[in-house]
Amino acid sequence: INCAHWTMVAEKDPLLRSRWQAPTSSFDDMLPFQGLRGVCAMAIFLGHQTDIFLASPFHGQSVVVGLEYLQAVSLFFLLSGIPLVRLYSTPKKVNDWAGTVDFWRKRAARLAPMYYLTLVLNLVAVVLSVEKLDVSATLESFFGCAFLLQTWVPSFINIGGVLWQVATFAYGYALFPFLSRRLERWSDGVLGFGIAGLWLFSAALWAAILALCPPGPSQDLALLIWHVHCVSRLPQIIAGVLLGALVERWREEPHLNRNRWAIVTDLLSLFLLATAVQAPVRQWMNGTSARLDDSIGMEAVFLPLHALWLAGMVLAYRPEEPERVCCTRVVLSARLLLALGDISLVLYCVHIPVLFAYSMVFAYVTTGDWHLAPTIADYDLRVKAPCWHAPFQWILVLAVSFLVARWFEAPMRKWLSAAGPKSATRSAVEPAPRAAPTQQFGGQAV
């Protein structure tokens, strides 16, 4: 999206301009979210690569280096609500049934092609890579994921893999129109208490696991279930929507101290960076399990900090004084990160089947057998590529992601979005000729 161009258009339209705020139709203030999506997708890719597919050169370590990448999952859920509120809630596009159906159709067009392509690729990878295929368990997992059940029944997760997060998004999008219609009725205090309550509910489930499950395999399994379960994740998506409503109100305040928000945002960036730096040290000293437990704990506890950080990225934006910058905004708006943000969904979905294909080829070349694991439930691969293969895997995964985004995801999304009836709803204050520029954000059709 050419944000500068549409900002100029909006500034010339008195209906889209006010005295104190940036133009309503401009998304310049949310541009860092696109780069953040790219960072989160890359963090998850690199985390899975080092955790599962690479052999460590260090004695006693199961992976090359410990990465703190699980916070990226919480950030994905939380940040999704902020642009949705501006795109749909503020102009009241989902306030009637026709608008709601149109929203669901566009969200399905966004998620479904990559979801089901990845599900089929995962099935092929599992069938080819395991030595003893349990057909019944495989089909149960496949059809459970096909109907988006793995985020409610984690035992179905094996074939779906990372698709549990996409399934959770689908449930969040299903709820969004009903939540959106009520945002105007709630005061800032109600929205703030709502975010706090949702955070406490999700965090309380995590704390209950620590309190009730003895340390060991049972606790590790319970924490993994918390990590992927809809009951603990849907509150984060809803909190993101409430946060988006607050941000939309606060950014219009005439006396908003944007310099203070920029400072707070940059300080939080340093803190979150420190949590990433500690991960390899923690793993080196205490092992992979301890590092993973810490990561899940940070997911549960840090949601208020994540919310403050994301809000600050928007509220620190100062269009009339571009020389006053927020360093976090500058870094996340870099062209490379924006390009990764454009393909974040594709990168998130395809990296696992691509890494499996690479590992099977490597296993066949080195051992004459492409099988990687005894059964579908075994995650410790029989053969792992040496760590110096990592750059080749990066190139392969990124190349496949760009190709799939260019030749499959984008055409399918556009075709499915255009296939249904156009929504007839339009806000009374929304200028009809100017509505088109707001139909894309962060490389995705909305």
Side-chain angles (χ1 to χ4, degrees):
I1 182 171
N2 190 335
C3 292
H5 169 71
W6 293 118
T7 299
M8 179 183 67
V9 171
E11 286 174 343
K12 294 179 180 179
D13 192 329
L15 293 175
L16 299 179
R17 187 178 64 207
S18 68
R19 180 179 178 182
W20 297 295
Q21 71 182 65
T24 304
S25 66
S26 169
F27 282 87
D28 284 6
D29 56 348
M30 293 189 185
L31 190 62
F33 288 172
Q34 183 177 341
L36 180 59
R37 285 192 180 98
V39 171
C40 290
M42 276 299 296
I44 293 170
F45 157 45
L46 295 175
H48 288 153
Q49 180 194 35
T50 54
D51 272 358
I52 302 173
F53 295 96
L54 291 179
S56 175
F58 306 116
H59 178 70
Q61 288 292 315
S62 61
V63 299
V64 177
V65 62
L67 292 177
E68 169 42 46
Y69 62 93
L70 296 187
Q71 288 184 74
V73 178
S74 296
L75 286 170
F76 264 133
F77 288 135
L78 195 59
L79 71 84
S80 65
I82 302 177
L84 283 182
V85 170
R86 185 175 302 179
L87 286 162
Y88 290 98
S89 302
T90 301
K92 302 179 180 179
K93 291 182 179 179
V94 291
N95 278 25
D96 60 15
W97 185 245
T100 297
V101 172
D102 187 58
F103 170 79
W104 286 339
R105 179 175 56 82
K106 290 178 178 178
R107 291 293 87 198
R110 170 64 174 165
L111 299 181
M114 283 309 306
Y115 183 91
Y116 288 104
L117 173 65
T118 306
L119 185 60
V120 171
L121 293 177
N122 287 350
L123 177 64
V124 173
V126 166
V127 170
L128 294 178
S129 64
V130 300
E131 297 174 357
K132 299 177 181 178
L133 182 66
D134 186 334
V135 176
S136 176
T138 301
L139 291 177
E140 180 183 78
S141 176
F142 178 81
F143 285 107
C145 293
F147 289 99
L148 311 182
L149 297 178
Q150 74 272 38
T151 190
W152 295 101
V153 186
S155 60
F156 291 155
I157 205 170
N158 288 321
I159 298 297
V162 298
L163 293 178
W164 69 267
Q165 184 177 354
V166 184
T168 305
F169 268 119
Y171 291 110
Y173 292 147
L175 291 176
F176 172 76
F178 306 104
L179 183 63
S180 174
R181 299 169 192 175
R182 291 161 175 78
L183 294 177
E184 283 189 346
R185 308 175 193 173
W186 295 335
S187 66
D188 291 2
V190 171
L191 294 173
F193 277 114
I195 294 172
L198 291 164
W199 164 57
L200 289 174
F201 173 78
S202 181
L205 295 175
W206 166 78
I209 292 172
L210 296 183
L212 300 177
C213 297
S218 61
Q219 187 182 89
D220 293 340
L221 177 60
L223 289 173
L224 177 61
I225 292 174
W226 180 93
H227 173 71
V228 303
H229 207 283
C230 218
V231 171
S232 56
R233 291 307 193 171
L234 264 182
Q236 297 178 351
I237 296 179
I238 298 172
V241 175
L242 302 185
L243 177 64
L246 279 177
V247 168
E248 284 300 286
R249 296 177 187 181
W250 292 349
R251 77 186 187 100
E252 299 178 2
E253 291 294 326
H255 304 298
L256 180 68
N257 191 328
R258 300 184 185 275
N259 289 337
R260 185 174 299 169
W261 276 106
I263 294 172
V264 170
T265 303
D266 288 340
L267 289 176
L268 285 173
S269 297
L270 293 176
F271 174 78
L272 294 175
L273 183 61
T275 67
V277 172
Q278 63 82 35
V281 178
R282 171 70 160 149
Q283 176 159 315
W284 182 263
M285 296 178 62
N286 303 108
T288 305
S289 179
R291 188 260 301 171
L292 287 172
D293 290 347
D294 287 352
S295 296
I296 293 177
M298 285 186 280
E299 282 190 283
V301 174
F302 285 176
L303 186 139
L305 298 181
H306 293 156
L308 190 64
W309 188 50
L310 295 175
M313 290 186 205
V314 178
L315 300 177
Y317 178 64
R318 186 185 292 271
E320 71 279 5
E321 294 181 285
E323 70 277 1
R324 296 189 178 184
V325 297
C326 171
C327 295
T328 302
R329 290 186 54 86
V330 173
V331 171
L332 292 178
S333 298
R335 291 196 175 193
L336 175 60
L337 297 184
L338 295 180
L340 289 174
D342 278 339
I343 63 163
S344 58
L345 174 62
V346 179
L347 174 59
Y348 176 81
C349 288
V350 305
H351 73 272
I352 290 291
V354 172
L355 290 174
F356 261 106
Y358 188 100
S359 298
M360 283 189 288
V361 171
F362 178 78
Y364 183 77
V365 171
T366 55
T367 68
D369 182 3
W370 62 72
H371 295 112
L372 297 175
T375 68
I376 187 177
D378 291 306
Y379 294 95
D380 189 11
L381 303 186
R382 179 180 65 87
V383 178
K384 297 182 180 182
C387 61
W388 58 266
H389 282 244
F392 302 107
Q393 294 179 346
W394 301 341
I395 295 171
L396 180 62
V397 169
L398 290 175
V400 170
S401 298
F402 276 106
L403 290 174
V404 171
R406 174 68 177 83
W407 297 107
F408 175 78
E409 191 273 333
M412 286 295 295
R413 167 170 36 91
K414 293 177 182 177
W415 179 72
L416 291 173
S417 296
K422 300 295 183 182
S423 173
T425 61
R426 180 173 291 149
S427 170
V429 297
E430 182 186 6
R434 308 293 185 181
T438 66
Q439 298 304 302
Q440 286 197 1
F441 171 71
Q444 60 177 326
V446 293

